[in-house]
Amino acid sequence: MRKPNFFALSLAATLICLAGPAIAQTKKTAGRETGNPLPSVRQVLSQPLPAMNGNHLRVILEEVNFGPGASAPVHTHPCPVIGYVAMGAIESKIKGAPENVFQSGQAFFEPANGVHEIARNASRNHPARLIAIHICDKNVPLSMPVAESKTKEGEK
């Protein structure tokens, strides 16, 4: 008997939760029979994932709310993370990559174990909301602090 691919099942479950009603209705039902307009779909991000152990795979979806001017301390994620800005703008920098400002409706990918040097609300006046999707192949904390001295040592 073939074992189920837990990665594919977890990813599909996450996508269904995010797309919900758009996936649940067929084109025929959504357009012709109900008279409702069809939903629009746009691909926000496409990213190959690293090889992972499917026996322990899980997907965690978090909502991260940044108040005006709020920022997270320097940290790392042991698992790959997909970030989607649901509201406002998020300033982000992963060690070794350029700093970026992601606006509402934009997404980004963080590789596993990358040092997140900057994660903050780009506005001092308005809140921002980030949806973070962690794809983990082991039971680990989703985020771990990194001593700032370690991030500065790597720059020398």
Side-chain angles (χ1 to χ4, degrees), residues 134-150:
H134 301 259
I135 303 167
C136 296
D137 62 347
K138 50 194 169 259
N139 192 13
V140 294
L142 299 180
S143 184
M144 294 179 280
V146 173
E148 287 193 46
S149 61
K150 284 186 181 181

Side-chain angles (χ1 to χ4, degrees), residues 5-130:
N5 182 334
F6 288 105
F7 172 71
L9 292 174
S10 298
L11 190 55
T14 300
L15 295 175
I16 289 169
C17 288
L18 292 174
I23 293 174
Q25 294 183 338
T26 64
K27 185 174 182 177
K28 179 180 175 186
T29 302
R32 274 191 243 151
E33 292 179 12
T34 65
N36 294 333
L38 295 173
S40 70
V41 177
R42 75 180 172 97
Q43 183 172 324
V44 179
L45 176 79
S46 176
Q47 176 69 43
L49 293 172
M52 300 176 121
N53 177 357
N55 293 329
H56 300 88
L57 200 61
R58 63 189 182 132
V59 175
I60 300 95
L61 185 127
E62 292 182 317
E63 180 180 285
V64 183
N65 289 290
F66 289 86
S71 65
V74 177
H75 63 279
T76 186
H77 304 285
C79 309
V81 178
I82 298 167
Y84 177 80
V85 181
M87 178 178 72
I90 301 290
E91 210 171 332
S92 178
K93 181 175 182 339
I94 304 297
K95 187 174 182 175
E99 186 174 327
N100 288 295
V101 176
F102 297 96
Q103 304 291 331
S104 180
Q106 292 184 311
F108 56 90
F109 179 80
E110 295 179 26
N113 302 310
V115 176
H116 209 152
E117 296 176 320
I118 297 174
R120 66 180 164 225
N121 186 341
S123 172
R124 296 217 169 266
N125 302 314
H126 303 287
R129 179 174 299 125
L130 174 72

